[in-house]
Amino acid sequence: MKKENKFLDCIKIILVEVVAFFLFLFFLKVESIWTVIVAILLVALIYFLSKIYKEKFQALLEPFSKYQNFAIGVLFILLVLYPIISPLMIVHSTYWTLILIQTGIYIMIALGLNFQLGSTGMMNLATAAFYGIGAYTAGLLALKLGWSALITIPLAGLAAAFAGLLLVIPIYKTKGHYLALVTLAFGFMLVLAADNIEIIGGPQGLKNIPPVNIFGYSFLTNIGGLHFYTNYYYLVLALLGITILVFARLFNSWVGLTSAYIRDDELAAKGCGINTNFRKLIVFVVGNFFMGVAGALYAHMIGFISPPNFQFAQSLLIVAIVIIGGMDNILGVIIASILLVVFPEKLRVVTEYRIFLYGILLVVTLILRPRGILPFGPRKYDSSILKFARKGGS
Amino acid sequence: MAEEKKTIFYTEDIEMRFGGLYALKNINIKIYENEILGMIGPNGSGKTTFFNVITGFYKPTKGRFYFMGEDLTGKEPYDITRKGISRTYQTSRLCLDLTILDNILIGTYPVQKSGYIDAIFNRKKLIKEVKKHTERAVHLLNIFNPNLVEKLFVPVGSLPHIDRRRVEICRAMIAEPKLILLDEPSAGMNADETQELMDDIEKVRKEMENVTIMIIEHDMKVISSVSERVIALNFGQVIAEGTYEEVSHDKEVIEAYLGKEVANG
């Protein structure tokens, strides 16, 4: 009996995910304003149905929390299959693959910021600048020294982390919104500097950054007739998987707990023995590392970077992703990234109304879900802890 | 006064001045090992300021204080907590959005061993540690209110006042401190809850036999029932010290609470 239940649950998970996956592909495929409207209506319908049939909806979602690893595995397989399926369905599949890669890069940056802002309450308004530091570091190392992406990508992460360290140390002792102000200024300053330093290209930026080349396998190769973006798609998918795993593990650990305490009540955190300044410094550096890695991926893939790519508007978009997605919730951040990066592309068909619709979307989301799409839930650490607690601690 | 008692904590001429205002003046206090010490005084007499000074939230303008023979003056709050002094706050300082379990487990911070690397690469070690502390947290909750054990993953914000206080006391207890400072635990409670709270303090004492407790209270009933020794403050100065009987009949104390005329009869 129990085994059958498990089997049924797994079938449920697969069914829901496959349907969602193909709906998403269909959404990408049809280029008419109606797809957008239908999509919005569909999401609204699901939202209201979930309010009315709360229990049934809960029953549908329960297998997902029960067999979380299985659900993630199925999703991963679908994502791996995407580049193979999409050309069969979508006319401009290359374009959409590129958009999805960019979404992946944004998710990576947003997760870095989520660790700083969502988990620890540190407002960083220079995410694009740190992302840019990563991109420029990778680009320069690859262009001037001819280093492989295997070295440039981690070094780009370290460079962004180091820049964050240098920025935070002087304002170590300041409180509250000063960090937001300092990062804001830093972001503007860096774009200006990049515009004016000739060695790094000035306003022309860096051109012809070599593509990723791992052990002689160039990422410009077309595997099996698929566009070369597919290579980057898989690379980003793999690195994103690692990023998500790292942050999920950090959330379910002392690190996540300590950070949350610093965010919610810094004084109480100090009273519990936490050296809050030092902790915040580490959080900032770790978050920045992932932004730098994301920047390096972008630089290698596109091959051309220039200062306008890393302006304040980009930072603002990433802050919006974290706030709308729900502070300190990885899944929420991922959903918000898709919403804020893929959706505007889809809205291109309506040309001038695009920004208007985009704005409405954000406002409606925040009215319906003032704490973000998915605010953070209880920290469960591990299924064994949960089981132990359920049994009433025996 | 019992010479054989060991002093765990003492202050030397602590003075805390905010501009021209003396919040504390020439405070010389001893806390003996294993006792429950009460501190009373009218509003604004400097009780909470005293706690804030000895837990490092304020830096005293003059004087020093020593804990287990070590000079802790000027240390940061987190250093002092790690030495074995933990406290609760007058208005409870829990993170209301976090779960009961989280709010208690944060108290184990001074004894936590798993950092970033373990969190990512060595889950086994981390989970073992979390489990050990969770067991302890469940044990403590069972002492105060077994109903709370079922709500381990419920946000603290949904709990009634007294249960929040209990969670806060558990948080202060879980790291096995040597000295616990309770800042007006009965604040905002009705008579029944205050009674329960007094039982709770007895339970703390029973659970941790070697702990020293210092408690600030307005409620004389609480002070008279739990504390073995009482110190009275007024205008930032110690005006009386001794057993509850002695202090409550002290002329200066009555004067401080009720005014000069009453004290003179």
Side-chain angles (χ1 to χ4, degrees):
Chain A
M1 190 67 201
K2 217 175 177 189
K3 225 173 192 178
E4 240 170 74
N5 262 343
K6 187 175 175 182
F7 184 69
L8 225 75
D9 278 349
C10 289
I11 295 286
K12 247 191 219 167
I13 291 173
I14 294 173
L15 222 64
V16 170
E17 287 193 359
V18 168
V19 167
F21 180 71
F22 277 99
L23 274 179
F24 183 68
L25 276 183
F26 195 71
F27 170 70
L28 295 186
K29 174 188 162 73
V30 186
E31 273 180 53
S32 129
I33 182 63
W34 290 107
T35 39
V36 179
I37 293 173
V38 168
I40 292 174
L41 286 179
L42 196 68
V43 171
L45 187 72
I46 292 173
Y47 180 78
F48 286 113
L49 281 181
S50 75
K51 287 267 158 181
I52 300 166
Y53 300 105
K54 235 179 189 163
E55 277 153 33
K56 279 198 178 159
F57 199 69
Q58 223 63 141
L60 191 69
L61 284 185
E62 206 208 69
F64 283 91
S65 59
K66 217 161 149 192
Y67 305 107
Q68 208 179 25
N69 290 338
F70 181 75
I72 293 170
V74 172
L75 184 67
F76 189 72
I77 291 171
L78 286 175
L79 286 175
V80 167
L81 289 178
Y82 167 82
I84 300 157
I85 300 173
S86 71
L88 306 175
M89 275 184 75
I90 306 171
V91 186
H92 305 292
S93 69
T94 320
Y95 171 68
W96 286 110
T97 307
L98 180 64
I99 297 297
L100 285 188
I101 295 169
Q102 285 208 357
T103 312
I105 288 174
Y106 272 101
I107 293 175
M108 209 183 263
I109 308 170
L111 285 176
L113 178 67
N114 181 45
F115 191 52
Q116 299 169 343
L117 174 63
S119 305
T120 324
M122 300 176 80
M123 183 53 110
N124 179 357
L125 286 173
T127 43
F130 292 121
Y131 165 62
I133 288 174
Y136 267 93
T137 308
L140 285 172
L141 288 177
L143 268 178
K144 311 255 155 154
L145 302 172
W147 286 6
S148 151
L150 273 180
I151 311 165
T152 60
I153 291 176
L155 275 183
L158 288 178
F162 186 67
L165 185 75
L166 287 186
L167 186 66
V168 174
I169 284 180
I171 51 168
Y172 206 49
K173 297 257 154 97
T174 58
K175 279 178 193 161
H177 303 298
Y178 291 100
L179 182 66
L181 290 176
V182 171
T183 52
L184 180 69
F186 180 74
F188 280 111
M189 203 181 76
L190 217 70
V191 172
L192 269 179
D195 246 334
N196 288 295
I197 300 172
E198 284 305 319
I199 319 161
I200 60 167
Q204 260 81 46
L206 295 176
K207 279 185 286 270
N208 301 325
I209 299 165
V212 177
N213 191 324
I214 294 174
F215 303 124
Y217 176 77
S218 166
F219 270 43
L220 287 179
T221 322
N222 297 356
I223 21 168
L226 297 171
H227 194 270
F228 77 84
Y229 279 153
T230 312
N231 296 312
Y232 286 101
Y233 176 88
Y234 285 129
L235 180 68
V236 170
L237 187 64
L239 288 179
L240 187 61
I242 295 171
T243 310
I244 291 172
L245 187 71
V246 165
F247 283 121
R249 288 190 160 189
L250 286 178
F251 176 80
N252 283 308
S253 77
W254 298 139
V255 175
L257 173 61
T258 316
S259 297
Y261 237 78
I262 294 173
R263 174 194 63 208
D264 286 357
D265 192 340
E266 197 170 337
L267 217 60
K270 274 186 188 167
C272 288
I274 300 167
N275 184 343
T276 50
N277 285 335
F278 182 65
R279 286 270 139 191
K280 278 157 87 176
L281 187 75
I282 298 181
V283 164
F284 202 80
V285 166
V286 170
N288 269 7
F289 177 82
F290 289 91
M291 293 173 199
V293 169
L297 284 173
Y298 180 82
H300 279 295
M301 181 179 73
I302 302 295
F304 166 67
I305 48 173
S306 66
N309 291 345
F310 310 110
Q311 267 166 354
F312 180 59
Q314 305 291 317
S315 301
L316 219 51
L317 173 66
I318 293 158
V319 172
I321 287 175
V322 173
I323 291 175
I324 289 171
M327 300 276 226
D328 211 5
N329 188 314
I330 292 170
L331 187 60
V333 168
I334 294 171
I335 293 173
S337 302
I338 295 169
L339 193 69
L340 296 192
V341 181
V342 179
F343 232 68
E345 292 302 324
K346 208 61 220 182
L347 289 175
R348 275 186 199 284
V349 259
V350 287
T351 54
E352 64 260 49
Y353 295 110
R354 184 167 155 233
I355 305 298
F356 177 65
L357 260 175
Y358 184 67
I360 288 182
L361 198 71
L362 295 193
V363 171
V364 170
T365 315
L366 283 181
I367 288 174
L368 290 177
R369 312 278 300 180
R371 300 189 65 186
I373 297 170
L374 287 173
F376 64 88
R379 197 180 318 279
K380 288 170 181 149
Y381 298 97
D382 189 64
S383 52
S384 70
I385 302 290
L386 202 62
K387 241 185 244 162
F388 171 75
R390 287 250 167 83
K391 272 193 253 157
S394 51
Chain B
M1 280 268 313
E3 247 84 297
E4 74 275 10
K5 276 187 184 170
K6 232 175 98 190
T7 308
I8 187 170
F9 179 94
Y10 65 97
T11 64
E12 266 176 9
D13 291 323
I14 290 274
E15 176 195 286
M16 185 74 221
R17 209 177 56 212
F18 298 104
L21 181 85
Y22 285 91
L24 294 172
K25 214 170 168 184
N26 299 329
I27 301 281
N28 287 295
I29 282 176
K30 273 182 186 160
I31 305 176
Y32 299 115
E33 199 164 16
N34 235 340
E35 74 173 339
I36 300 184
L37 173 65
M39 185 177 248
I40 59 170
N43 281 328
S45 58
K47 302 177 304 276
T48 300
T49 309
F50 179 70
F51 269 16
N52 283 339
V53 166
I54 65 175
T55 47
F57 286 99
Y58 295 157
K59 308 275 176 282
T61 39
K62 225 178 82 188
R64 317 203 71 81
F65 58 94
Y66 302 82
F67 177 62
M68 312 222 324
E70 195 179 340
D71 186 358
L72 293 184
T73 322
K75 286 253 164 49
E76 288 294 321
Y78 48 81
D79 281 327
I80 291 175
T81 306
R82 285 179 209 168
K83 299 281 180 212
I85 301 179
S86 64
R87 68 173 290 187
T88 66
Y89 303 83
Q90 197 169 356
T91 44
S92 83
R93 290 203 93 104
L94 293 165
C95 294
L96 300 183
D97 291 332
L98 300 183
T99 60
I100 296 183
L101 182 65
D102 275 0
N103 269 296
I104 299 176
L105 285 183
I106 192 71
T108 65
Y109 184 83
V111 290
Q112 284 169 10
K113 291 191 182 70
S114 312
Y116 274 79
I117 304 296
D118 292 320
I120 298 169
F121 299 109
N122 195 351
R123 292 298 284 182
K124 251 191 192 148
K125 182 182 164 197
L126 173 85
I127 294 306
K128 211 174 142 193
E129 214 188 338
V130 173
K131 191 152 185 206
K132 192 180 94 191
H133 291 317
T134 307
E135 273 165 19
R136 178 84 185 135
V138 167
H139 174 74
L140 290 176
L141 282 176
N142 261 324
I143 296 173
F144 293 117
N145 184 358
N147 290 335
L148 290 179
V149 175
E150 285 151 34
K151 296 185 188 162
L152 276 185
F153 291 98
V154 169
V156 166
S158 65
L159 296 183
H161 200 71
I162 181 146
D163 283 338
R164 290 187 196 180
R165 263 285 129 74
R166 285 170 172 150
V167 170
E168 215 180 343
I169 293 175
C170 288
R171 181 180 75 186
M173 284 171 74
I174 197 165
E176 311 261 334
K178 310 238 169 28
L179 176 61
I180 296 182
L181 307 171
L182 302 174
D183 191 350
E184 230 178 282
S186 79
M189 287 185 188
N190 61 29
D192 290 345
E193 287 173 328
T194 306
Q195 183 59 46
E196 281 184 53
L197 184 94
M198 289 191 295
D199 298 342
D200 287 347
I201 294 171
E202 294 294 324
K203 286 174 188 167
V204 173
R205 150 63 79 228
K206 231 180 254 166
E207 172 65 22
M208 299 170 72
E209 283 172 352
N210 294 318
V211 80
T212 311
I213 299 173
M214 181 167 178
I215 175 170
I216 288 181
E217 256 307 336
H218 259 313
D219 197 317
M220 288 303 165
K221 225 170 72 195
V222 177
I223 284 286
S224 66
S225 81
V226 302
S227 55
E228 295 151 9
R229 202 162 63 90
V230 178
I231 288 173
L233 281 189
N234 195 23
F235 296 120
Q237 279 172 304
V238 177
I239 54 172
E241 198 177 334
T243 64
Y244 176 74
E245 285 301 308
E246 287 165 19
V247 171
S248 62
H249 290 100
D250 188 276
K251 204 174 157 197
E252 248 185 292
V253 174
I254 299 171
E255 204 179 293
Y257 271 91
L258 302 171
K260 221 167 194 159
E261 273 172 43
V262 181
N264 289 334

